[in-house]
Coordinates of all heavy atoms in Angstrom, one line a residue:
Chain A
L308 N 32.1 10.8 -10.2 CA 31.9 9.6 -11.0 C 31.7 10.0 -12.5 O 32.1 9.3 -13.4 CB 30.6 8.9 -10.5 CG 30.6 8.2 -9.2 CD1 29.4 7.4 -8.9 CD2 31.9 7.3 -9.0
A309 N 31.1 11.2 -12.7 CA 30.9 11.7 -14.0 C 32.3 12.3 -14.5 O 32.7 12.1 -15.6 CB 29.8 12.8 -14.1
M310 N 33.0 13.0 -13.6 CA 34.2 13.6 -14.0 C 35.3 12.6 -14.5 O 36.1 12.8 -15.3 CB 34.8 14.5 -12.9 CG 33.9 15.7 -12.5 SD 34.3 16.4 -10.9 CE 35.9 17.2 -11.3
E311 N 35.2 11.4 -13.8 CA 36.2 10.4 -14.1 C 35.7 9.3 -15.0 O 36.4 8.3 -15.2 CB 36.6 9.8 -12.7 CG 37.3 10.8 -11.8 CD 37.5 10.3 -10.4 OE1 37.1 9.2 -10.1 OE2 38.0 11.1 -9.6
G312 N 34.5 9.5 -15.6 CA 34.1 8.6 -16.6 C 33.5 7.2 -16.1 O 33.3 6.3 -16.9
H313 N 33.2 7.1 -14.8 CA 32.8 5.8 -14.3 C 31.3 5.5 -14.7 O 30.9 4.4 -14.6 CB 32.9 5.8 -12.8 CG 34.3 5.9 -12.3 ND1 35.3 5.1 -12.7 CD2 34.8 6.8 -11.4 CE1 36.4 5.5 -12.1 NE2 36.2 6.5 -11.3
I314 N 30.6 6.5 -15.2 CA 29.2 6.4 -15.5 C 28.9 6.0 -16.9 O 27.7 5.8 -17.3 CB 28.4 7.6 -15.1 CG1 28.8 8.8 -15.9 CG2 28.5 7.9 -13.6 CD1 27.9 10.0 -15.9
T315 N 29.9 6.0 -17.7 CA 29.7 5.6 -19.2 C 29.4 4.1 -19.3 O 29.6 3.3 -18.3 CB 30.9 6.0 -20.0 OG1 32.0 5.1 -19.6 CG2 31.3 7.4 -19.8
R316 N 29.1 3.7 -20.5 CA 28.8 2.3 -20.7 C 30.0 1.4 -20.5 O 29.9 0.2 -20.3 CB 28.2 2.0 -22.1 CG 26.8 2.7 -22.2 CD 25.9 2.0 -23.2 NE 26.5 1.8 -24.5 CZ 26.5 2.7 -25.5 NH1 25.8 3.9 -25.4 NH2 27.1 2.5 -26.7
Q317 N 31.2 2.0 -20.6 CA 32.4 1.3 -20.3 C 32.9 1.4 -18.9 O 33.9 0.8 -18.5 CB 33.5 1.7 -21.3 CG 33.3 1.4 -22.7 CD 32.2 2.2 -23.4 OE1 32.1 3.4 -23.2 NE2 31.3 1.5 -24.2
G318 N 32.2 2.3 -18.1 CA 32.7 2.5 -16.7 C 32.2 1.5 -15.8 O 31.6 0.5 -16.1
R319 N 32.5 1.7 -14.5 CA 32.2 0.7 -13.5 C 30.7 0.8 -13.1 O 30.2 -0.2 -12.6 CB 33.1 0.7 -12.4 CG 33.2 1.9 -11.5 CD 34.1 1.7 -10.3 NE 34.6 3.0 -9.8 CZ 33.9 3.7 -8.8 NH1 32.8 3.2 -8.4 NH2 34.4 4.8 -8.4
L320 N 30.1 1.9 -13.3 CA 28.6 2.0 -13.0 C 27.9 2.8 -14.1 O 27.7 4.0 -13.9 CB 28.4 2.7 -11.6 CG 26.9 2.7 -11.3 CD1 26.4 1.3 -10.9 CD2 26.6 3.7 -10.2
P321 N 27.6 2.1 -15.2 CA 26.9 2.8 -16.3 C 25.6 3.3 -15.8 O 24.9 2.6 -15.0 CB 26.7 1.7 -17.3 CG 27.7 0.7 -17.0 CD 27.9 0.7 -15.5
I322 N 25.3 4.6 -16.1 CA 24.0 5.1 -15.8 C 23.3 5.7 -17.0 O 24.0 6.0 -18.0 CB 24.0 6.2 -14.7 CG1 24.7 7.5 -15.3 CG2 24.8 5.7 -13.5 CD1 24.6 8.7 -14.3
C323 N 22.0 5.8 -17.0 CA 21.2 6.4 -18.1 C 21.7 5.8 -19.4 O 22.0 6.5 -20.4 CB 21.4 7.9 -18.1 SG 21.0 8.6 -16.5
T324 N 21.7 4.4 -19.5 CA 22.3 3.7 -20.6 C 21.6 3.9 -21.9 O 22.1 3.5 -23.0 CB 22.4 2.2 -20.3 OG1 21.1 1.6 -20.2 CG2 23.2 2.0 -18.9
L325 N 20.4 4.4 -21.9 CA 19.7 4.6 -23.2 C 19.3 6.1 -23.3 O 18.5 6.4 -24.1 CB 18.4 3.7 -23.3 CG 18.9 2.2 -23.6 CD1 18.0 1.2 -22.9 CD2 18.8 2.0 -25.1
G326 N 20.0 6.9 -22.5 CA 19.8 8.4 -22.7 C 19.2 9.1 -21.5 O 19.3 10.3 -21.4
G327 N 18.7 8.3 -20.5 CA 18.2 9.0 -19.3 C 17.1 10.0 -19.6 O 16.6 10.2 -20.7
L328 N 16.7 10.7 -18.5 CA 15.7 11.7 -18.6 C 16.2 12.9 -19.5 O 15.5 13.5 -20.3 CB 15.3 12.3 -17.2 CG 14.4 11.4 -16.4 CD1 15.0 10.1 -16.0 CD2 14.0 12.2 -15.1
K329 N 17.5 13.1 -19.4 CA 18.1 14.3 -20.1 C 18.0 14.1 -21.6 O 17.6 15.1 -22.3 CB 19.6 14.3 -19.8 CG 20.4 15.4 -20.6 CD 20.0 16.8 -20.2 CE 20.4 17.8 -21.2 NZ 19.4 17.9 -22.3
A330 N 18.2 12.9 -22.2 CA 18.3 12.8 -23.6 C 17.3 11.8 -24.2 O 16.9 12.0 -25.4 CB 19.7 12.5 -24.0
R331 N 17.0 10.8 -23.5 CA 15.8 10.0 -24.0 C 14.6 10.8 -23.9 O 13.7 10.8 -24.8 CB 15.6 8.7 -23.2 CG 14.4 7.9 -23.5 CD 13.4 7.9 -22.4 NE 13.9 7.1 -21.3 CZ 14.0 7.6 -20.1 NH1 13.5 8.7 -19.8 NH2 14.5 6.8 -19.1
G332 N 14.5 11.6 -22.9 CA 13.3 12.5 -22.7 C 12.7 12.2 -21.3 O 12.8 11.1 -20.8
H333 N 11.8 13.2 -20.9 CA 11.2 13.1 -19.5 C 9.8 13.5 -19.6 O 9.4 14.5 -19.1 CB 12.0 14.0 -18.6 CG 11.6 14.0 -17.1 ND1 10.9 12.9 -16.5 CD2 11.6 14.9 -16.2 CE1 10.7 13.2 -15.3 NE2 11.1 14.4 -15.0
P334 N 8.9 12.6 -20.1 CA 7.5 12.8 -20.0 C 7.1 12.3 -18.6 O 7.0 11.1 -18.3 CB 6.9 11.9 -21.1 CG 8.0 10.9 -21.5 CD 9.3 11.4 -20.9
V335 N 6.9 13.3 -17.7 CA 7.1 13.0 -16.3 C 6.5 11.7 -15.7 O 7.1 10.9 -15.1 CB 6.8 14.2 -15.4 CG1 7.8 15.3 -15.6 CG2 5.4 14.7 -15.6
G336 N 5.2 11.6 -15.9 CA 4.5 10.4 -15.4 C 4.9 9.1 -16.0 O 4.6 8.0 -15.5
A337 N 5.5 9.2 -17.2 CA 5.9 8.0 -17.9 C 7.3 7.6 -17.6 O 7.7 6.4 -17.7 CB 5.8 8.2 -19.4
T338 N 8.1 8.5 -17.1 CA 9.6 8.3 -16.9 C 9.9 7.0 -16.1 O 10.8 6.3 -16.5 CB 10.2 9.5 -16.3 OG1 10.2 10.5 -17.4 CG2 11.6 9.3 -15.9
G339 N 9.3 6.8 -15.0 CA 9.6 5.7 -14.2 C 9.4 4.4 -14.9 O 10.1 3.4 -14.6
V340 N 8.4 4.3 -15.8 CA 8.2 3.1 -16.5 C 9.3 3.0 -17.7 O 9.8 1.9 -17.9 CB 6.8 3.0 -17.1 CG1 6.5 1.6 -17.7 CG2 5.8 3.3 -16.0
Y341 N 9.6 4.1 -18.3 CA 10.7 4.0 -19.3 C 12.0 3.4 -18.6 O 12.7 2.6 -19.2 CB 11.0 5.4 -19.8 CG 10.2 5.8 -21.0 CD1 9.1 6.7 -20.9 CD2 10.5 5.4 -22.3 CE1 8.4 7.0 -22.0 CE2 9.8 5.7 -23.4 CZ 8.7 6.6 -23.2 OH 7.9 6.9 -24.3
Q342 N 12.3 3.9 -17.4 CA 13.5 3.4 -16.8 C 13.5 1.9 -16.6 O 14.5 1.2 -16.9 CB 13.6 4.0 -15.4 CG 13.9 5.5 -15.4 CD 13.9 6.1 -14.0 OE1 13.1 5.8 -13.2 NE2 14.9 7.0 -13.7
I343 N 12.3 1.4 -16.3 CA 12.2 -0.1 -16.1 C 12.2 -0.8 -17.4 O 12.8 -1.9 -17.5 CB 11.0 -0.4 -15.2 CG1 11.3 0.0 -13.8 CG2 10.6 -1.9 -15.2 CD1 10.2 0.0 -12.8
V344 N 11.5 -0.3 -18.4 CA 11.6 -0.9 -19.7 C 13.0 -1.0 -20.2 O 13.5 -2.0 -20.8 CB 10.7 -0.1 -20.7 CG1 11.0 -0.4 -22.2 CG2 9.2 -0.3 -20.4
E345 N 13.8 0.1 -20.0 CA 15.2 0.1 -20.5 C 16.0 -0.9 -19.7 O 16.9 -1.5 -20.3 CB 15.7 1.6 -20.4 CG 15.0 2.5 -21.4 CD 15.2 3.9 -21.1 OE1 15.8 4.3 -20.1 OE2 14.8 4.7 -22.0
A346 N 15.8 -1.0 -18.4 CA 16.5 -1.9 -17.6 C 16.2 -3.4 -18.1 O 17.2 -4.2 -18.2 CB 16.2 -1.8 -16.1
V347 N 15.0 -3.6 -18.5 CA 14.7 -4.9 -19.0 C 15.4 -5.1 -20.4 O 15.9 -6.2 -20.6 CB 13.1 -5.1 -19.2 CG1 12.8 -6.4 -19.9 CG2 12.5 -5.1 -17.8
Q348 N 15.4 -4.1 -21.2 CA 16.2 -4.2 -22.5 C 17.6 -4.7 -22.2 O 18.1 -5.6 -22.8 CB 16.2 -2.9 -23.2 CG 14.8 -2.5 -23.8 CD 14.9 -1.2 -24.6 OE1 14.8 -0.1 -24.0 NE2 15.2 -1.2 -25.9
Q349 N 18.3 -4.0 -21.3 CA 19.6 -4.3 -20.9 C 19.8 -5.8 -20.4 O 20.7 -6.5 -20.8 CB 20.2 -3.4 -19.9 CG 20.5 -2.0 -20.4 CD 21.6 -1.9 -21.4 OE1 22.2 -2.9 -21.8 NE2 21.9 -0.7 -21.8
L350 N 18.8 -6.2 -19.5 CA 18.9 -7.5 -18.9 C 18.6 -8.6 -19.9 O 19.1 -9.7 -19.8 CB 18.0 -7.5 -17.7 CG 18.5 -6.6 -16.5 CD1 17.4 -6.5 -15.5 CD2 19.8 -7.0 -15.9
R351 N 17.7 -8.3 -20.8 CA 17.4 -9.3 -21.8 C 18.5 -9.4 -22.9 O 18.5 -10.4 -23.6 CB 16.1 -8.9 -22.6 CG 14.8 -9.2 -21.8 CD 13.7 -8.8 -22.8 NE 12.4 -9.0 -22.2 CZ 11.2 -8.7 -22.8 NH1 11.3 -8.1 -24.0 NH2 10.1 -8.9 -22.2
G352 N 19.3 -8.4 -23.0 CA 20.3 -8.4 -24.0 C 19.8 -7.8 -25.3 O 20.2 -8.2 -26.4
T353 N 18.7 -7.0 -25.2 CA 18.1 -6.4 -26.5 C 18.3 -4.9 -26.5 O 17.4 -4.3 -27.1 CB 16.6 -6.8 -26.5 OG1 16.0 -6.3 -25.4 CG2 16.4 -8.3 -26.6
A354 N 19.3 -4.4 -26.0 CA 19.5 -3.0 -25.9 C 20.3 -2.5 -27.2 O 20.7 -1.3 -27.2 CB 20.2 -2.5 -24.7
G355 N 20.5 -3.3 -28.2 CA 21.1 -2.9 -29.4 C 22.5 -2.3 -29.3 O 23.3 -2.9 -28.5
A356 N 22.7 -1.2 -29.9 CA 24.0 -0.6 -29.9 C 24.4 -0.1 -28.5 O 25.5 0.1 -28.2 CB 24.0 0.7 -30.8
N357 N 23.4 -0.1 -27.6 CA 23.6 0.4 -26.2 C 23.8 -0.8 -25.2 O 23.9 -0.6 -24.0 CB 22.4 1.2 -25.7 CG 22.3 2.5 -26.5 OD1 22.4 2.5 -27.7 ND2 22.2 3.6 -25.8
Q358 N 23.9 -2.0 -25.8 CA 23.9 -3.1 -24.9 C 25.2 -3.2 -24.0 O 26.3 -3.0 -24.4 CB 23.9 -4.4 -25.7 CG 23.8 -5.7 -24.9 CD 22.5 -5.8 -24.0 OE1 21.5 -5.5 -24.6 NE2 22.7 -6.1 -22.8
L359 N 24.9 -3.4 -22.7 CA 26.0 -3.6 -21.7 C 26.3 -5.1 -21.7 O 25.3 -5.9 -21.5 CB 25.6 -3.2 -20.3 CG 25.2 -1.8 -20.2 CD1 24.6 -1.6 -18.8 CD2 26.4 -0.9 -20.3
P360 N 27.5 -5.6 -21.9 CA 27.7 -7.0 -22.0 C 27.5 -7.7 -20.6 O 28.0 -7.2 -19.6 CB 29.2 -7.1 -22.4 CG 29.8 -5.7 -22.3 CD 28.7 -4.7 -22.2
G361 N 26.7 -8.7 -20.6 CA 26.5 -9.5 -19.4 C 25.8 -8.9 -18.3 O 26.0 -9.4 -17.1
A362 N 25.0 -7.9 -18.5 CA 24.3 -7.3 -17.4 C 23.3 -8.2 -16.8 O 22.5 -8.8 -17.5 CB 23.6 -6.0 -17.9
R363 N 23.3 -8.4 -15.5 CA 22.4 -9.3 -14.9 C 21.6 -8.7 -13.7 O 20.5 -9.2 -13.3 CB 23.1 -10.5 -14.3 CG 23.8 -11.4 -15.3 CD 24.1 -12.8 -14.8 NE 22.9 -13.5 -14.5 CZ 22.3 -14.3 -15.4 NH1 22.7 -14.4 -16.6 NH2 21.2 -14.9 -15.0
L364 N 22.1 -7.5 -13.2 CA 21.4 -6.9 -12.1 C 21.3 -5.4 -12.4 O 22.4 -4.7 -12.4 CB 22.2 -7.2 -10.8 CG 21.5 -7.0 -9.5 CD1 20.3 -8.0 -9.3 CD2 22.4 -7.2 -8.3
G365 N 20.1 -4.9 -12.5 CA 20.0 -3.5 -12.8 C 19.1 -2.8 -11.8 O 18.2 -3.4 -11.3

Side-chain angles (χ1 to χ4, degrees):
Chain A
L308 294 186
M310 294 165 72
E311 296 167 4
H313 298 306
I314 62 166
T315 67
R316 296 207 306 271
Q317 290 72 40
R319 62 178 159 86
L320 183 71
I322 69 169
C323 305
T324 66
L325 284 139
L328 284 61
K329 173 70 198 82
R331 174 245 294 129
H333 182 28
V335 291
T338 287
V340 188
Y341 272 101
Q342 293 176 315
I343 287 175
V344 165
E345 291 165 352
V347 171
Q348 289 180 273
Q349 290 291 2
L350 295 169
R351 282 182 178 178
T353 58
N357 295 46
Q358 184 62 48
L359 300 170
R363 297 199 65 87
L364 200 65

